[in-house]
Amino acid sequence: MVEFIPLLMFLVVCLVLMAGYPVALSLSGTALIFALVGFATGTFDMAFLHALPNRLFGTIKNTTLIAVPLFVFMGVMLEKSRLAEDLLESMADLLKGFRSGLGLSVVLVGALLAASTGIVGATVVTMGLMSLPTMLKRGYSSSQATGIICATGTLGQIIPPSIALVLLGDILSSAYQQAQLSMGIFTPKVVSIGDLFVGAIIPGVILVLLYCLYVVLFIKPAAPEEGDEPLPQHGLSRAMLNLLPPILLIVAVLGSILSGAATPTEAAGVGAFGATLLALFKRQLSFGRLREVAQSTTEVTSMVFLILIGAAVFSLVFRGFGGEEMVEQFLTGLPGGLVGATILVMLLIFVLGFVLDFIEITFVVVPIVGPVLLAMGLDPVWLGIMIAINLQTSFLTPPFGFALFYLRGVAPASVETKEMYRGVIPFIGIQLLLMLMLSLWPALATWLPGLVYN
């Protein structure tokens, strides 16, 4: 019976999370209750919790995680500076006359926002407020319009700079070192957030192209697109002027990483400073707005680090009950070896995405299965990109897809929730298609990092 305690502990924490309790308290509270019961029954050694202060100190002094508040600051500043409004208007002007031009504009602007902010909620809400009424008026059905907006908003999960990739990179770095040490490699190689950023570029571009292809081939507005006349020269100049600032910011952030001139953390500082300059040039920067941005950044960052602390407690107690050995024995004993274990883990993450947020899955599941899969021979960059795309589907899968919640909050009452659910299904299929492509051609994720860093 004792050997099943780790499994019971995992199930209980999932139930507590689904009940709506705060993530950090759910992780740490469940773990401590199990630890106390285990100590009372003689099945848990409290010495495992003696490592907690070192874990917390390691989290605090981890310079990689400084990228989290900096990227959040960049994203919130760009949201407050109304960059998205100018972008959507300019892109819609450039695509006048194209079939489903407005839908294409939403996809392309969402991709630019994803590469500028990396925050899913801000992108979905902003695009919903700006484009949903216009799309409905132009003849797009409720399911078509909401599906495009929700799916486009989730691009911030995979297109760098992405908060999800920052968190995944930090966890996979530790998991990769742990896996190599378990294999007797005492000079372990490292995998960095920069590796994941570079590895996500080609899959991210492919995903945007697949979205655009779907919109062009399968989405037909009932009403003709307005404004088929060519864009005047002054309108073209204005559109290009609005597109230039975010493109320059993307080049500054990703270019500094790709060129090796800056680490992801340093590039995050460049992005935060650049976003502030853009807000200043657009005359959207004031003391009150700066205070709003700082407050939002503090709230998001505090949430992330509290969850990190809760996850540290959970992992220590899980290890104390022998959970790591149980998972390793289970995955290595599956038929199909590495392929079977990988498929099972991806299915588990996909199913958990129906009910849990990506942060919860990242901090609970990945530290448990990551070291085992990496020790079995998986490439850490490929695994990170696959998990990121898989987690991206968690924003779209009903009933608890957070992109659906974000859009539901700003969509008019005439748009039914079941229409939103119907609209995202094709885009979930596209994301799964991309995962299949990565499974068949792993070089889509691993070739560019090898080229850049070697």
Side-chain angles (χ1 to χ4, degrees):
M1 181 64 185
V2 176
E3 60 268 19
F4 293 108
I5 291 180
L7 178 60
L8 180 62
M9 182 177 162
F10 180 78
L11 292 175
V12 168
V13 82
C14 288
L15 291 173
V16 173
L17 288 170
M18 284 187 281
Y21 287 94
V23 180
L25 299 180
S26 300
L27 291 172
S28 56
T30 302
L32 290 175
I33 290 172
F34 269 82
L36 289 173
V37 173
F39 178 70
T41 57
T43 56
F44 180 79
D45 185 356
M46 281 293 183
F48 279 93
L49 290 178
H50 293 171
L52 185 59
N54 286 334
R55 285 281 188 97
L56 299 186
F57 184 70
T59 299
I60 293 170
K61 71 173 187 176
N62 189 341
T63 55
T64 302
L65 293 176
I66 296 175
V68 173
L70 290 173
F71 278 133
V72 171
F73 182 94
M74 181 179 79
V76 176
M77 180 62 78
L78 290 174
E79 177 198 356
K80 301 293 184 183
S81 63
R82 299 179 182 175
L83 178 78
E85 296 178 23
D86 293 339
L87 269 177
L88 185 61
E89 183 181 343
S90 301
M91 194 65 75
D93 285 343
L94 287 174
L95 293 176
K96 277 183 176 179
F98 281 82
R99 176 182 174 181
S100 304
L102 183 57
L104 278 176
S105 301
V106 172
V107 173
L108 294 175
V109 169
L112 285 173
L113 287 178
S116 304
T117 67
I119 301 177
V120 172
T123 305
V124 172
V125 170
T126 303
M127 300 298 287
L129 288 171
M130 292 188 307
S131 60
L132 183 57
T134 307
M135 293 181 79
L136 295 176
K137 190 175 90 172
R138 296 275 184 93
Y140 290 82
S141 68
S142 298
S143 60
Q144 291 173 343
T146 54
I148 292 173
I149 293 170
C150 285
T152 301
T154 64
L155 289 172
Q157 281 287 102
I158 186 62
I159 296 180
S162 161
I163 302 299
L165 291 177
V166 173
L167 300 176
L168 265 176
D170 183 64
I171 288 176
L172 282 176
S173 176
S174 301
Y176 193 37
Q177 292 185 40
Q178 184 180 336
Q180 291 177 92
L181 290 173
S182 69
M183 296 163 63
I185 302 173
F186 298 106
T187 54
K189 298 177 182 178
V190 295
V191 59
S192 67
I193 294 172
D195 292 320
L196 290 188
F197 276 11
V198 177
I201 292 176
I202 293 177
V205 171
I206 292 174
L207 189 59
V208 173
L209 292 177
L210 289 174
Y211 281 3
C212 291
L213 190 63
Y214 175 78
V215 169
V216 170
L217 294 180
F218 298 104
I219 293 186
K220 301 176 183 178
E225 295 273 350
E226 296 178 7
D228 289 341
E229 68 280 357
L231 191 64
Q233 184 64 39
H234 69 276
L236 180 62
S237 301
R238 180 176 60 84
M240 296 307 296
L241 192 63
N242 285 333
L243 288 171
L244 190 59
I247 291 175
L248 288 177
L249 186 62
I250 294 166
V251 170
V253 174
L254 294 184
S256 60
I257 297 174
L258 290 173
S259 65
T263 65
T265 301
E266 293 164 344
V270 172
F273 182 69
T276 306
L277 286 182
L278 286 182
L280 180 63
F281 290 150
K282 289 174 64 65
R283 298 181 181 178
Q284 297 292 331
L285 187 63
S286 63
F287 181 77
R289 180 150 293 159
L290 191 60
R291 183 177 179 179
E292 287 178 25
V293 173
Q295 182 174 343
S296 296
T297 302
T298 304
E299 289 173 357
V300 174
T301 306
S302 300
M303 176 196 70
V304 170
F305 276 83
L306 277 174
I307 294 174
L308 270 171
I309 293 171
V313 178
F314 182 86
S315 68
L316 286 172
V317 177
F318 188 83
R319 177 183 294 179
F321 280 115
E324 288 187 349
E325 292 81 1
M326 183 192 74
V327 171
E328 181 177 0
Q329 291 173 6
F330 177 72
L331 291 179
T332 54
L334 284 172
L338 177 59
V339 174
T342 306
I343 291 174
L344 180 66
V345 168
M346 290 302 161
L347 283 174
L348 174 65
I349 291 175
F350 180 72
V351 171
L352 288 176
F354 282 76
V355 291
L356 299 179
D357 184 26
F358 84 96
I359 294 182
E360 299 159 9
I361 296 174
T362 300
F363 288 146
V364 175
V365 179
V366 178
I368 295 173
V369 300
V372 181
L373 292 177
L374 294 173
M376 292 174 73
L378 276 188
D379 184 281
V381 174
W382 182 87
L383 179 61
I385 302 304
M386 285 288 284
I387 292 175
I389 297 171
N390 205 343
L391 290 175
Q392 186 179 347
T393 64
S394 69
F395 277 90
L396 297 178
T397 45
F400 297 112
F402 279 79
L404 300 169
F405 284 163
Y406 294 140
L407 188 59
R408 177 71 276 173
V410 297
S414 58
V415 177
E416 297 183 14
T417 302
K418 65 179 181 181
E419 291 295 317
M420 296 172 63
Y421 288 173
R422 186 180 299 124
V424 298
I425 290 174
F427 293 97
I428 295 174
I430 291 173
Q431 292 175 1
L432 295 177
L433 173 62
L434 178 59
M435 291 181 65
L436 178 61
M437 292 171 65
L438 283 168
S439 301
L440 297 175
W441 302 293
L444 291 174
T446 59
W447 172 76
L448 192 56
L451 182 68
V452 170
Y453 291 109
N454 291 332

